[in-house]
Each structure stands twice: as C-alpha cells, then as structure tokens.
C-alpha cells in the first residue's frame, strides 16, 4: 500500500513497562452516526453503532488472535489480527495453532512483522491458575535480535497465546495469564542470544498499540456494506473513525468513538457503512494521554453489491 501520513504513533513507554501485567480483554463503547463526506458519493451508515464486550475478554470467533509488531513513531508496539487456523493445525490446541501462525504466517497488514523464525512443531498446556506452558523448538528463536527486541518478541508470544487461550475458554474466569516458555522441553534456556528464560512472562498492556482496527483487515474486499470494528485503550481521547477515498483523499464517512471504560479494559467499537464501489482507507484516530496522535489504517476495496 502507498505510504500514508504518519501512522500508529504513541508516547514513549517507560522501561519498567516490561514488568507490568494486563490481561487481553474487550470492553464496550458507542459511537455517533457518521457525517456526510465530500469527494465521493455520500455514504450511509447505520444510525448507531453496536458495541459490547464479552465476559473475561473472550471473543466469539472461530479465528485465532495473533499479535504482530508494528512501528509507532520510534516505538515498536503490538497489534492484533484475527486469522484462520493454519492448514492441518490441531483443532484441539488453539494455543499452539496461534503460536504457529505468529511464527510462520505473514501479517495481513504489510506494516506489521514478526520477531520469530517459522516453525510448525509447538506444544502447549494450561493449568488451573492461568499458567500457559509453551514448548518451542530452538530454531524458532532468531539470534540477531537486540535485547529490547528479544523482550518484545517474548511479549508478542505471551499476548498471542494468552489471547488464544482466553478466546478458546481455556483460562479460569478472572485469571491473570502468565506464560512459561520451554525450549525443546527444557526450562531456563538462553534464547535470542541474549535473554535467559526465568520467571513466567505476563502480557503487558503498555506494549499494545493504543488503537487498532479488528475489521476490516488489510486488503478486505466488500460488496457495498463495510463492517468496522476495533478497540481503544483507556486514556485515548478525541477518538474517531473515518473512511477516506484513496483516489482523492476525500472523507466519505466517519464519526466519533466515545470510549466507555469497562473496569480498565480496552473498549470495543463497531459500525456499518454503505459505500459506492472504489478503493478506500479505513482509519481509527485519537490522542493518547500525553496528547500524541495514535492511529491505525487499513486499505480496502468495495465492489458492486
């Protein structure tokens, strides 16, 4: 996709963020009707967006959550996509299947990337206290990562497997997931050439991008009605979604996103927009607690109904 204006920006995170813990969850939020746009035929959306989360942060979907690394104004943060299970994956092990996608699949959005080598031999288990054990082969670990990127890679894995376990209903209600990583069955190995595995890794919410689009995915093709959904972290303000025509940058639909915190969880938003055929950029935009811009964009194509 052509290079857009600066995307996905956020204020620098503290170094102590590596130790903070937060479960992957969705809350609820609402949004107002979109305004009429310019530069293309007016778009029509539903009068009100639907919203809502699910208990414990699980998402009703057969797809697997996978976290990727994306640039954010000098930072590297985590973005999530929902993906179809890999071919031949073990349906009884969604944790291993999500981890396999994280290592071996390419992100739908070309702005994202993985910090892992591709492997297809992964084991996993869960315990009643919310501990997830993941066993990866030694060749999953890249040896060219700086120490900070290596820690981010561990967070990419922790977020992916914790979200997969929660989505599949494999974690106790209200538990705080933590991930124990084995290397060919062995604990306490040195990985990435610089990090010694020790204490379990907890997913760190401060390393998640403040806003992202869940739907549409990059490259989505729609037949006239476009469904939008996404999530916004607590503290993001002045948040809005827009649909912009790629050929002339004209905004054809958009509206504010009112974030309603749900016990500190991220908020979810949804909308539907009817669009004439064409190529569009769907965006969610806001400002973080320090006033810096935060953004996520996806290119989509709309055909005739």
């Amino acid at each position: 996709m052509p290079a857009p204006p600066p995307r996905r920006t956020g204020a620098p995170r503290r170094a102590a963020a590596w130790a903070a813990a937060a479960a992957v969850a969705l809350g609820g939020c609402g949004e107002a009707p979109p305004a009429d746009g310019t530069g293309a035929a007016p778009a029509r959306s539903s009068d009100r967006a639907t919203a809502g989360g699910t208990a414990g942060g699980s998402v009703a979907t057969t797809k697997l959550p996978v976290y990727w690394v994306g640039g954010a104004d000098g930072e590297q943060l985590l973005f999530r996509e929902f993906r179809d299970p890999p071919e031949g994956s073990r349906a009884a092990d969604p944790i291993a299947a999500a981890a396999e996608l994280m290592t071996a699949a390419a992100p739908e959005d070309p702005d994202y990337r993985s910090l892992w080598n591709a492997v297809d031999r992964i084991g996993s288990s869960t315990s009643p206290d919310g501990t997830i054990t993941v066993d990866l082969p030694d060749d999953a670990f890249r040896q060219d990562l700086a120490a900070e990127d290596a820690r981010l890679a561990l967070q990419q894995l922790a977020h992916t497997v914790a979200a997969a376990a929660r989505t599949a209903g494999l974690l106790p209600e209200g538990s705080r997931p933590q991930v124990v990583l084995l290397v060919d069955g062995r604990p306490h190995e040195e990985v990435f050439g610089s990090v010694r595995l020790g204490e379990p890794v907890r997913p760190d919410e401060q390393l998640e991008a403040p806003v992202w689009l869940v739907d549409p995915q990059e490259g989505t093709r729609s037949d006239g009605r476009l469904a939008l959904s996404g999530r916004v972290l607590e503290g993001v303000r002045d948040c809005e979604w827009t649909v912009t025509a790629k050929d002339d940058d004209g905004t054809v639909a958009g509206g504010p996103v009112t974030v309603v915190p749900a016990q500190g969880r991220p908020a979810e938003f949804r909308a539907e927009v009817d669009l004439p055929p064409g190529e569009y950029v769907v965006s969610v935009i806001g400002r973080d607690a320090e006033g810096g811009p935060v953004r996520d964009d996806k290119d989509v194509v709309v055909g005739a109904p």
Side-chain angles (χ1 to χ4, degrees):
M1 60 185 271
R7 305 172 59 171
R8 307 183 180 96
T9 60
R13 267 61 179 170
R14 302 184 304 274
W18 297 109
V24 178
L26 291 177
C29 72
E31 64 191 87
D36 289 339
T38 58
R44 179 172 57 83
S45 75
S46 56
D47 288 340
R48 192 161 187 82
T50 60
T54 50
S58 60
V59 180
T61 177
T62 59
K63 294 179 179 288
L64 296 171
V66 180
Y67 282 75
W68 309 105
V69 176
D73 194 26
E75 286 189 280
Q76 297 295 302
L77 298 176
L78 298 175
F79 294 82
R80 186 182 64 196
E81 292 180 338
F82 280 99
R83 304 292 296 273
D84 291 320
E87 291 185 10
S89 68
R90 299 167 297 284
D93 195 349
I95 297 173
E100 180 183 335
L101 283 169
M102 184 202 71
T103 67
E108 297 285 355
D109 192 319
D111 293 329
Y112 302 163
R113 63 193 176 98
S114 181
L115 296 174
W116 296 81
N117 289 331
V119 293
D120 59 5
R121 179 172 55 86
I122 301 170
S124 77
S125 65
T126 58
S127 64
D129 66 353
T131 297
I132 304 164
T133 300
V134 180
D135 190 358
L136 288 167
D138 179 72
D139 55 2
F141 301 87
R142 291 171 47 180
Q143 300 301 308
D144 60 345
L145 295 184
E148 185 171 321
D149 284 341
R151 294 187 184 96
L152 185 58
L154 294 178
Q155 282 291 322
Q156 183 190 0
L157 174 69
H159 276 76
T160 295
V161 299
R166 192 175 295 284
T167 300
L170 299 177
L171 294 179
E173 182 70 25
S175 65
R176 297 179 62 207
Q178 59 180 3
V179 180
V180 173
L181 185 57
L182 305 179
V183 182
D184 289 321
R186 302 185 301 271
H188 309 303
E189 291 290 286
E190 184 175 276
V191 295
F192 300 116
S194 61
V195 175
R196 176 71 62 179
L197 297 175
E199 295 298 317
V201 180
R202 291 188 184 273
D204 180 358
E205 186 184 68
Q206 294 189 60
L207 296 176
E208 295 179 15
V211 298
W212 70 55
L213 285 161
V214 174
D215 284 309
Q217 298 284 296
E218 179 73 18
T220 290
R221 291 182 175 272
S222 173
D223 59 359
R225 169 157 288 198
L226 188 65
L228 283 69
S229 69
R231 47 69 102 191
V232 181
L233 290 184
E234 187 176 5
V236 174
R237 49 196 172 84
D238 301 330
C239 193
E240 63 180 358
W241 62 270
T242 64
V243 179
T244 304
K246 285 190 67 175
D247 55 357
D248 60 5
D249 292 330
T251 299
V252 299
V257 173
T258 303
V259 178
V260 181
Q263 298 180 344
R265 299 175 187 168
E268 181 185 52
F269 66 89
R270 301 181 189 275
E272 288 188 343
V273 185
D274 289 335
L275 297 167
E279 297 184 0
Y280 300 92
V281 178
V282 180
S283 304
V284 57
I285 307 164
R287 294 190 177 277
D288 61 21
E290 288 77 26
V294 291
R295 182 184 188 111
D296 193 18
D297 306 290
K298 305 295 180 187
D299 287 357
V300 301
V301 177
V302 174

